[in-house]
Amino acid sequence: MKALAYAITLLLAASPTLADDLTALSTTATSITGDISFDDHEIVFENGKKLVFEDLIADNFIVGGKKLPASVYSVKGTANPKLLNGNRLCGESPVTYVASWLDDDVTMIAVFETQDAPESDEDMCALYTYVYP
């Protein structure tokens, strides 16, 4: 029995992370990112451009003064992809961090251009919302 449990653990660890395919909900998401594919390694935008994550740096985040379960990622390099209609996530500045959390059935994704890792939604440069199709 222990051998079976160990084999299953190895199989799960070796399996690729499945991305969540999300449909743009907010006007901002619809006009800038379009629908996305999101996992613990990257976001792939509707036009095929990517934002690759360096590390998961936190598993909670403060939104509107309340501490919530969330994923906060540092972004690899100086990414600032051109998205739909030539738009970018934070204007001309590269994105440095991304935070994601659930609000009921809505996936919230905040983007940051800050030097220091964000602990709350106060310094976000934009907020995008998505739902499962």
Side-chain angles (χ1 to χ4, degrees), residues 3 6 9 13 16 20-22 27 35 45-47 54-55 60 65 72-73 83 89 99 103 105 120-122 127 129:
Y6 180 70
T9 301
D20 289 328
D21 292 325
L22 300 170
T27 303
D35 297 343
F45 301 101
E46 187 170 298
N47 70 353
E54 183 86 37
D55 291 309
N60 60 71
V72 181
Y73 302 94
L83 302 174
L89 291 169
D103 185 359
D105 291 334
S120 76
D121 61 346
E122 282 185 22
L127 179 66
T129 60

Side-chain angles (χ1 to χ4, degrees), residues 17-68:
T17 303
L18 297 177
D20 289 328
D21 292 325
L22 300 170
T23 301
L25 178 64
S26 63
T27 303
T28 308
T30 302
S31 62
I32 295 177
T33 68
D35 297 343
I36 63 170
S37 181
F38 183 91
D39 64 26
D40 285 334
H41 305 287
E42 67 186 6
I43 301 174
V44 180
F45 301 101
E46 187 170 298
N47 70 353
K49 300 287 184 175
K50 296 179 182 183
L51 190 65
V52 178
F53 304 139
E54 183 86 37
D55 291 309
L56 175 64
I57 60 169
D59 62 1
N60 60 71
F61 192 67
I62 298 171
V63 178
K66 293 182 182 179
K67 188 174 186 177
L68 304 174

Side-chain angles (χ1 to χ4, degrees), residues 65-130:
K66 293 182 182 179
K67 188 174 186 177
L68 304 174
S71 296
V72 181
Y73 302 94
S74 59
V75 174
K76 189 173 188 176
T78 55
N80 194 16
K82 272 193 180 178
L83 302 174
L84 299 179
N85 303 309
N87 291 311
R88 297 179 189 270
L89 291 169
C90 277
E92 294 304 314
S93 297
V95 175
T96 53
Y97 297 94
V98 172
S100 175
W101 66 94
L102 287 175
D103 185 359
D104 293 322
D105 291 334
V106 177
T107 299
M108 313 293 280
I109 298 178
V111 291
F112 298 83
E113 55 188 4
T114 57
Q115 183 176 356
D116 296 328
E119 295 179 3
S120 76
D121 61 346
E122 282 185 22
D123 294 324
M124 67 182 171
C125 61
L127 179 66
Y128 301 90
T129 60
Y130 304 88

